[in-house]
Amino acid sequence: MAIDLDKVAVMAGKREVTYVQMLERVGVYALQLPSLDEERCLIFAPNGEGWVYALYAVWMRKGIAVPVDVTSTVDDLAYVLKDCTPLCIWTSRTKMDTVEAAMQMADVRPTVLFVEDYLTLDAEATPCPLSILMLEGDAMRTALIIYTSGTTGSPKGVMLSYDNLLANIEGVWKDVPIFSEHRRTMMLLPVHHVLPLMGSVIAPILCGGGIAICPSLSGADIMDTMARGKVAIIIGVPRLWQTLYKGIKQKIDAHAVTRFLFWLCEKVQSRGLSRFIFKSVRQKMGGHLDYCVCGGAALDLEIGRGMKTLGLDVLEGYGMTEAAPIIAFTRPGDIRPGCAGKALPAVQCKLVEGELWAKGRNIMQGYYQRPEETAQVLQDGWLHTGDLATIDAKGYITITGRTKEIIVLSNGKNVNPAELEFRLEKYEEQVKEAAVLPDGDKLCAILVPQTEWAKGRTLAEQEERLKEEVLRPYNQSVEPYKKVMSLFVYDGELPRTKLDKLQRFKLSAILQSGVHSAPKPQLVEPTFEEYRLIKQYILEEKHLDEVRPIDHLETDLAFDSLDKVGLQDFIENTFGLGMTAEDLSRFRNIAEIAEHVAHFKTRMEWAEVDWHSLLHEEHPTLRLPATWPTGPWIVHSFKTFFKMHFRLASKGVKNIPDHGPFILAANHQSYLDGMFVMSYVRLSQIRNTYFFAKEKHVNTPFRRWLAGRHNVVVLEQNNMKRSISKLGDVLRQGKNIIIFPEGTRTADGTLGEFKKMFAILSVELSVPVVPVVIHGAFEALPRGRHWPLPKKIVVEYLPPIAPSTATTYEEMTDTVRAAIQSRLNIGR
């Protein structure tokens, strides 16, 4: 096929690179390399334009490309360096510390080149021949060495020839036209793995459709890239489609009409009808999406069926790195959720004692320098996949499990742990991740609890609640041999590959260690300036003695939503890079945040967070919630009930100012605290007093409707600046707010740490704070109890504390907390 060389080959943000420009840029990158002549060259860099050019530059210089996970530890990188002894490395300056340490550990000294240095460099260079992009030449030469992700042990280097790659591409381009010159593909997943490398770089460029590079895995970046790039194909792993489907389904289930329409499409099973009814879903995803490709692991049947009902075609595939990677895939128009489809046209498949074997042009040359291990899985050209499967009369392949993963119980029953894990993860309020493994003659589950659910509960309490809320109902719903008889609560992330495969060989060690918390990975302290500035900011802002590169914002550094706003503002002002709270949360540690900033920043100059400007800035587009006349009536009704049930009483009501603005800052003991505090606010002031609530507490249409008409400001976790601006507008308009500085209810009746949001509002807007002490609510309504006990409750209003021009946020926070603590110590 002739490629239109003036067509866009690579889109990166607003930057568009044609095929002609790409060939020229690859030539510049190739100019930096020596003649490799089948020597190896590592690519150890983040996804991006430079990564793509580096790959083709290696091939232009007749080398073998060795992609490596950019998040690898020093030990992991050293292992690969020592195993394949490359002549050179393409990397990023942000990764140089890791590279230097790994080279020293492996005792190798390849030439190091930086991918970002040549993106715009003008140089006299020979453009890359188009034949390189088309994979033409000696088909049997090794093109790639891909190190397996290590689900069963130490990684092995899989050698793939140009013909291995072409066999895959021809199968999904010429034989079955999924990729074409009319479909652009999103580069989203890390391309060190063969699936995204083949599917989101090599195949779409060769077929003429081109790629659109997504800068991150955040929802906003994905949606923006899809719309800007008119993306037609996305390659994802099961959890991506699971998250997408659950988000869409929650919105559908919120309304009777959309629930009915979903049911109708599910019954009719018409792609045309589903696409018509749920047209808006596709439009929100850019309007050009044709295929969602799922690989890396099996997609749950429920998710596959649900996506099909929405009119979104999920093309499931099955393969291995050793098959470059496709062995079988679903054909468009013939989608069977749960089925891996038919074999790649160039592949033969057969079953040997239930295990799937594959043979064809796509099967690897072997493992690099491991002839014995190659011989174990490759015999007479047949690849022993290690996966159990069925093949029906029409050639449809269904994977039923891995031979090494199936648990054989003492009674002879076979258990597929993946099936049980999916069922356990459906208890999504409590369970974040689940893994099932044998423990003697019974099944054991390692459960990672949801952070919010676990907060405030001891390990013993978590275990007891999980047994009651998860294991009991689960065991009642399954056959006797699938029952889980013991559990282990694990505070960490289960070991997974980059494509989300569970590394089961590491699970027994977690169980045997008895350690309930995951060890922190060791990273070399970065020395680049972006990391230093971010670290300095965190040290000063959080008053810490130490910040490590492996520290996580929330779990290690106790960042709350307000802290994230400050960090967002600092990064935007210092580096010219806008980031949401969601963006920050997806990074595993401070080092990763700094690397992202270093890669995408537009400038670098130290800047403090300017709360004053943020709170005094006019926001004509911000709309405060409405104030209906029903508010005072609702408060009066609650107060009447409280007086009867709790013998509600008050102290210090005279301390509530006659006129606003003021802030009522109270300790937080129960879910009724807001109404307790409001009970003694004058009726004339109720209409001018605002609450705020977290999004998760206003998560139904009725609650949102009620909040929007009764002075409830909803704190948007991913747009805290907007939420804080709304609270500032309330106070600047002379109105009042009620705040619970602890942020969440007490778990044991003691006063928790105070967040400083109220102090920032008070100091910057010169608004007095009225400390409010709630006595007895914890005894009447401890966590987990829905109907309150008839215990006496007293609400005590302390004298207002007004800020001076010299008052700091910390001083105001500490003063208010100390005032409330002193009264709690005395009692009521």
Side-chain angles (χ1 to χ4, degrees):
M1 182 198 78
I3 292 178
D4 179 0
L5 295 182
D6 292 324
K7 187 176 179 179
V8 173
V10 178
M11 291 185 65
K14 296 181 180 179
R15 180 174 161 82
E16 297 184 353
V17 181
T18 66
Y19 274 89
V20 168
Q21 292 168 331
M22 177 182 173
L23 293 171
E24 292 172 349
R25 188 51 40 192
V26 172
V28 172
Y29 275 63
L31 185 64
Q32 317 310 317
L33 295 169
S35 176
L36 294 172
D37 193 22
E38 300 195 46
E39 290 284 351
R40 292 149 304 285
C41 178
L42 255 64
I43 307 179
F44 180 67
N47 277 19
E49 262 188 274
W51 203 106
V52 177
Y53 304 148
L55 171 70
Y56 288 107
V58 172
W59 286 346
M60 184 177 171
R61 300 296 281 171
K62 300 187 182 303
I64 300 171
V66 186
V68 179
D69 181 2
V70 73
T71 63
S72 295
T73 63
V74 171
D75 287 346
D76 291 338
L77 182 59
Y79 173 89
V80 176
L81 286 170
K82 193 166 186 175
D83 193 62
C84 74
T85 57
L87 194 63
C88 49
I89 300 178
W90 279 111
T91 189
S92 166
R93 291 189 179 277
T94 62
K95 302 305 296 183
M96 193 54 206
D97 291 334
T98 303
V99 170
E100 185 64 42
M103 289 192 300
Q104 185 173 348
M105 183 179 292
D107 193 24
V108 295
R109 277 289 158 188
T111 301
V112 177
L113 298 162
F114 300 112
V115 292
E116 62 265 41
D117 285 2
Y118 307 101
L119 279 174
T120 57
L121 177 72
D122 290 328
E124 291 286 337
T126 302
C128 175
L130 184 60
S131 60
I132 300 295
L133 272 57
M134 304 301 290
L135 306 186
E136 296 173 356
D138 185 352
M140 295 302 112
R141 280 182 54 221
T142 303
L144 296 168
I145 295 178
I146 304 280
Y147 277 81
T148 56
S149 46
T151 58
T152 57
S154 61
K156 299 180 286 290
V158 176
M159 297 186 293
L160 299 174
S161 70
Y162 287 98
D163 194 53
N164 293 154
L165 309 185
L166 282 168
N168 273 264
I169 295 170
E170 289 168 4
V172 293
W173 169 39
K174 294 179 178 178
D175 299 322
V176 181
I178 296 171
F179 290 92
S180 78
E181 68 271 25
H182 305 299
R183 295 192 181 107
R184 184 174 285 121
T185 302
M186 181 188 292
M187 180 176 163
L188 176 66
L189 298 178
V191 290
H192 69 275
H193 195 284
V194 69
L195 169 66
L197 175 56
M198 284 291 291
S200 60
V201 178
I202 299 172
I205 286 177
L206 186 152
C207 298
I211 63 175
I213 301 174
C214 189
S216 78
L217 291 172
S218 74
D221 280 340
I222 291 174
M223 291 302 182
D224 179 66
T225 304
M226 290 179 71
R228 190 191 302 274
K230 299 181 180 179
V231 170
I233 301 174
I234 301 179
I235 295 174
V237 292
R239 282 184 184 264
L240 173 66
W241 306 123
Q242 181 177 328
T243 302
L244 174 68
Y245 173 70
K246 284 185 176 180
I248 296 171
K249 193 64 165 58
Q250 282 178 355
K251 293 179 180 179
I252 288 173
D253 289 343
H255 303 283
V257 173
T258 47
R259 282 200 305 271
F260 169 76
L261 291 174
F262 185 86
W263 173 86
L264 178 66
C265 290
E266 193 173 35
K267 295 298 180 185
V268 174
Q269 287 294 301
S270 165
R271 183 174 186 263
L273 177 65
S274 292
R275 286 207 160 193
F276 173 75
I277 288 179
F278 294 109
K279 182 180 179 181
S280 62
V281 172
R282 195 161 171 264
Q283 289 298 324
K284 287 177 182 176
M285 299 177 75
H288 297 271
L289 185 62
D290 286 334
Y291 301 124
C292 306
V293 178
C294 182
L299 182 68
D300 185 78
L301 195 59
E302 177 187 327
I303 306 299
R305 286 172 176 165
M307 294 285 281
K308 185 178 180 183
T309 300
L310 294 170
L312 295 173
D313 293 343
V314 180
L315 304 183
E316 290 190 67
Y318 162 72
M320 305 171 64
T321 304
E322 290 84 343
I326 305 173
I327 291 175
F329 67 98
T330 304
R331 272 54 169 178
D334 188 20
I335 296 174
R336 304 185 180 199
C339 175
K342 294 182 178 181
L344 189 75
V347 172
Q348 303 172 53
C349 289
K350 67 179 181 180
L351 299 178
V352 179
E353 297 181 353
E355 180 186 1
L356 184 67
W357 289 14
K359 184 177 186 178
R361 286 173 53 206
N362 63 323
I363 303 304
M364 68 171 179
Q365 297 172 311
Y367 296 122
Y368 182 68
Q369 293 187 337
R370 298 199 184 190
E372 292 181 2
E373 293 179 57
T374 300
Q376 290 175 5
V377 298
L378 266 183
Q379 296 175 13
D380 296 325
W382 287 96
L383 174 67
H384 299 197
T385 67
D387 288 312
L388 299 173
T390 61
I391 305 176
D392 68 14
K394 294 184 179 180
Y396 290 97
I397 298 172
T398 301
I399 305 301
T400 58
R402 281 193 63 79
T403 55
K404 295 180 180 179
E405 291 180 0
I406 295 297
I407 299 171
V408 182
L409 301 174
S410 57
N411 59 9
K413 293 286 189 181
N414 291 344
V415 177
N416 181 358
E419 174 198 341
L420 277 56
E421 288 154 3
F422 181 78
R423 289 193 182 192
L424 289 168
E425 288 177 358
K426 280 192 171 183
Y427 297 89
E428 54 191 24
E429 180 183 343
Q430 300 90 351
V431 179
K432 182 179 181 181
E433 289 185 280
V436 173
L437 68 163
D439 185 16
D441 290 332
K442 61 182 184 292
L443 294 176
C444 173
I446 298 176
L447 299 183
V448 178
Q450 294 284 7
T451 304
E452 193 63 32
W453 179 87
K455 194 177 293 182
R457 293 188 172 119
T458 66
L459 190 64
E461 289 170 339
Q462 291 177 42
E463 184 173 322
E464 199 59 38
R465 294 291 293 271
L466 286 170
K467 286 179 180 177
E468 187 65 30
E469 298 175 17
V470 177
L471 283 199
R472 184 189 293 270
Y474 162 80
N475 283 337
Q476 291 172 348
S477 69
V478 299
E479 298 93 328
Y481 73 92
K482 292 182 179 178
K483 289 186 177 181
V484 173
M485 304 310 294
S486 63
L487 70 84
F488 184 87
V489 182
Y490 186 56
D491 178 21
E493 292 184 354
L494 294 180
R496 293 182 183 275
T497 70
K498 292 302 176 183
L499 288 192
D500 212 39
K501 290 182 181 178
L502 199 57
Q503 294 178 305
R504 296 187 183 276
F505 71 98
K506 295 182 179 179
L507 296 177
S508 294
I510 293 175
L511 206 59
Q512 292 168 8
S513 72
V515 178
H516 294 263
S517 297
K520 298 295 181 183
Q522 296 300 311
L523 294 179
V524 175
E525 179 83 13
T527 57
F528 56 94
E529 187 66 6
E530 293 83 0
Y531 172 80
R532 191 189 68 77
L533 290 176
I534 290 173
K535 176 180 178 178
Q536 182 181 342
Y537 167 80
I538 294 172
L539 285 169
E540 294 178 0
E541 184 68 15
K542 296 291 287 181
H543 305 289
L544 299 172
D545 296 325
E546 180 188 20
V547 170
R548 302 170 301 166
I550 60 174
D551 283 340
H552 186 274
L553 284 181
E554 296 163 7
T555 56
D556 296 312
L557 299 175
F559 261 59
D560 58 23
S561 298
L562 188 65
D563 293 325
K564 288 182 183 177
V565 174
L567 183 55
Q568 286 172 249
D569 198 71
F570 170 75
I571 290 174
E572 185 171 344
N573 290 334
T574 305
F575 304 105
L577 177 62
M579 296 181 73
T580 66
E582 182 184 4
D583 292 335
L584 292 174
S585 297
R586 72 180 174 82
F587 291 105
R588 294 182 300 179
N589 51 51
I590 300 301
E592 287 192 7
I593 294 174
E595 287 171 5
H596 177 83
V597 169
H599 192 67
F600 294 105
K601 71 178 187 297
T602 60
R603 64 171 184 269
M604 187 160 67
E605 53 188 31
W606 178 273
E608 299 287 348
V609 180
D610 190 354
W611 291 111
H612 185 82
S613 297
L614 177 66
L615 291 172
H616 284 81
E617 183 182 346
E618 295 294 333
H619 303 99
T621 60
L622 288 184
R623 293 181 58 187
L624 296 180
T627 304
W628 278 25
T630 49
W633 178 84
I634 291 173
V635 172
H636 181 73
S637 300
F638 269 98
K639 182 178 181 180
T640 301
F641 168 75
F642 292 160
K643 284 198 166 187
M644 291 188 296
H645 190 78
F646 300 114
R647 293 170 291 147
L648 183 69
S650 67
K651 288 184 178 179
V653 173
K654 66 180 184 302
N655 288 321
I656 301 176
D658 293 330
H659 305 286
F662 55 81
I663 298 171
L664 295 167
N667 60 313
H668 204 358
Q669 295 192 337
S670 76
Y671 66 79
L672 291 176
D673 289 346
M675 281 300 171
F676 291 148
V677 175
M678 284 292 286
S679 292
Y680 292 96
V681 173
R682 299 174 185 83
L683 286 177
S684 60
Q685 291 181 319
I686 289 175
R687 289 171 57 85
N688 289 326
T689 301
Y690 285 70
F691 299 90
F692 74 88
K694 297 178 180 177
E695 285 177 301
K696 68 176 184 178
H697 295 147
V698 191
N699 57 359
T700 66
F702 175 71
R703 287 180 180 178
R704 286 193 291 272
W705 177 87
L706 199 66
R709 288 154 181 80
H710 291 91
N711 291 16
V712 178
V713 175
V714 178
L715 288 187
E716 305 168 50
Q717 294 300 312
N718 285 325
N719 198 344
M720 281 290 293
K721 282 188 179 182
R722 176 183 172 87
S723 303
I724 293 172
S725 296
K726 282 186 181 180
L727 293 176
D729 283 359
V730 168
L731 295 171
R732 288 196 294 121
Q733 292 176 23
K735 301 176 181 181
N736 322 307
I737 57 176
I738 293 177
I739 282 183
F740 297 97
E742 291 165 277
T744 188
R745 285 180 284 158
T746 178
D748 55 9
T750 60
L751 191 64
E753 180 186 354
F754 272 25
K755 317 299 183 189
K756 62 183 178 183
M757 178 191 294
F758 80 97
I760 292 173
L761 291 167
S762 169
V763 170
E764 294 299 345
L765 298 173
S766 301
V767 172
V769 177
V770 178
V772 183
V773 189
I774 301 173
H775 302 274
F778 176 75
E779 291 75 13
L781 259 172
R783 275 191 170 196
R785 187 174 184 86
H786 298 291
W787 184 252
L789 298 169
K791 303 282 187 177
K792 182 175 177 61
I793 292 176
V794 175
V795 183
E796 182 177 5
Y797 303 87
L798 305 183
I801 299 172
S804 70
T805 54
T807 303
T808 66
Y809 308 147
E810 290 75 17
E811 288 170 346
M812 176 59 78
T813 303
D814 293 343
T815 301
V816 173
R817 188 184 185 282
I820 293 175
Q821 183 67 71
S822 66
R823 296 305 301 167
L824 283 173
N825 292 340
I826 294 172
R828 58 175 185 258

